[in-house]
Amino acid sequence: MDKREAQFILSAYRPNGRDAKDDRIAAALSLVEGDPELKAWFESEIRQDQVIAEKLRQVRPPAGLRDQILTGMSLAEAAPPWWRGAPAMAIAASLIVVSGLILSWNRPAYESEFAELRANALSYSAGFISLDFFADQVSDLTTWLTDRDAPATTDLIGRLESLPGIGCRTLSWGGKTVSLVCLQGESTFHVFMIDREDLSDDPALTEPQFWQMKGRTVVSWEDAERVYVLVTKASAEAVRALL
C-alpha cells in the first residue's frame, strides 16, 4: 500500500475510531506514524470530519418523521440499489453513514433524473468506497473504463485532468452504467460520469454548477457526450481554482 492509496482509504475513516479494526484501515493507519506529511493530512481530515459530524448532530427532524419513514419503507417495494455488486464492507459502511441521516430522509421524489443522480453520487461518496482498479495516470483509468464500455475521458474540465489518479470502478444505476474516477488533490475528488443519452432530462449545465450539500462540495458540468458530478470535502473555492 502506498501513501496515495492510504489517503484514499483513510478519507472514509470516522473520527470516533470505530473503523480502526478493519484490516485495510489498520494497514493505512500504520503508515501514518512514519510519514509526517501523511500524518498532517490525516489530522486535518479528522478535524474536518468532526466539524461536519457536529453540524449533523444539530439537525432536529420533525416529530413523527421516523415512524413515517419506517411505515413507507415497509410498504414500498425495494428498488435495486445503484451500488449492486459492491463488496459487503462498502454496503455496510454506506448504511452506517445513512443511519446518521435517516431521520431527515423521507424518500424524496426528485425533480429530475439528474437530481437523483447527483443525490446518489453524494450518498455513495460518503461511504467506504471500493475501487476495482488503481493507477496514478488518468489515461490508465480511462483505458480500463473504455475496455468495459463504460463512460470515460481523459479530457476533464480545467486542471482536474492534471491531478494524480487513485483508481476507478463502474456502478450500475437503474440499468445504466456510471463510471467513478477518484483523483487526489488536497482532498479526494470523486468524479462520476454518465453518458448524456442515458439521462432522460438535459440538466443544461452550460457552466459548472456548485452546491454545498451535507458538508461536501458538489459540482456538475457536461460536455457533448457525458454529464459529470464531482463530490469532495474540499471547499468550493478550492474546486473553483481547479476549474
Side-chain angles (χ1 to χ4, degrees):
M1 178 185 298
D2 61 17
K3 182 162 66 175
R4 189 168 300 145
E5 186 176 351
Q7 283 182 301
F8 178 75
I9 291 171
L10 292 175
S11 67
Y13 181 83
R14 291 173 293 173
N16 57 21
R18 293 181 182 177
D19 303 316
K21 293 182 179 179
D22 175 79
D23 290 343
R24 285 185 292 178
I25 288 182
L29 286 172
S30 68
L31 297 180
V32 170
E33 293 304 321
D35 188 321
E37 183 180 357
L38 182 60
K39 184 175 182 179
W41 171 87
F42 181 57
E43 291 174 347
S44 176
E45 284 285 295
I46 292 295
R47 288 193 296 271
Q48 188 173 7
D49 286 342
Q50 288 172 335
V51 171
I52 293 172
E54 179 58 32
K55 289 182 178 179
L56 290 175
R57 280 194 291 267
Q58 295 172 7
V59 175
R60 293 294 180 266
L65 180 57
R66 180 178 183 277
D67 291 338
Q68 294 174 24
I69 293 172
L70 294 178
T71 300
M73 291 176 68
S74 66
L75 296 177
E77 294 182 359
W82 85 321
W83 55 81
R84 172 171 290 176
M89 181 179 177
I91 296 174
S94 297
L95 291 176
I96 289 170
V97 174
V98 172
S99 67
L101 304 176
I102 193 167
L103 292 180
S104 61
W105 176 56
N106 195 21
R107 301 180 68 89
Y110 298 99
E111 67 270 20
S112 66
E113 194 172 38
F114 166 72
E116 182 178 358
L117 171 68
R118 184 185 62 193
N120 279 319
L122 176 64
S123 295
Y124 190 81
S125 299
F128 191 102
I129 297 175
S130 175
L131 298 177
D132 293 332
F133 178 71
F134 288 88
D136 293 342
Q137 300 296 320
V138 173
S139 58
D140 292 335
L141 303 180
T142 298
T143 298
W144 189 91
L145 292 169
T146 300
D147 288 345
R148 287 153 182 78
D149 295 322
T153 181
T154 56
D155 188 22
L156 292 172
I157 191 172
R159 293 193 290 123
L160 282 178
E161 64 184 23
S162 65
L163 293 179
I166 300 174
C168 63
R169 67 165 300 156
T170 62
L171 299 158
S172 178
W173 176 55
K176 304 165 185 178
T177 300
V178 176
S179 297
L180 168 61
V181 171
C182 295
L183 308 172
Q184 187 62 63
E186 292 185 6
S187 295
T188 303
F189 293 86
H190 306 284
V191 182
F192 298 82
M193 58 187 83
I194 187 172
D195 289 336
R196 287 186 57 157
E197 62 186 20
D198 284 339
L199 277 181
S200 60
D201 56 291
D202 182 0
L205 301 168
T206 55
E207 298 287 340
Q209 300 295 310
F210 285 72
W211 298 269
Q212 291 298 133
M213 305 172 71
K214 297 179 181 177
R216 284 166 171 76
T217 300
V218 181
V219 189
S220 293
W221 68 94
E222 63 183 351
D223 59 26
E225 299 180 27
R226 290 162 290 270
V227 173
Y228 304 83
V229 178
L230 180 152
V231 183
T232 180
K233 292 180 183 178
S235 67
E237 292 74 17
V239 178
R240 288 183 193 278
L242 285 171
L243 303 186

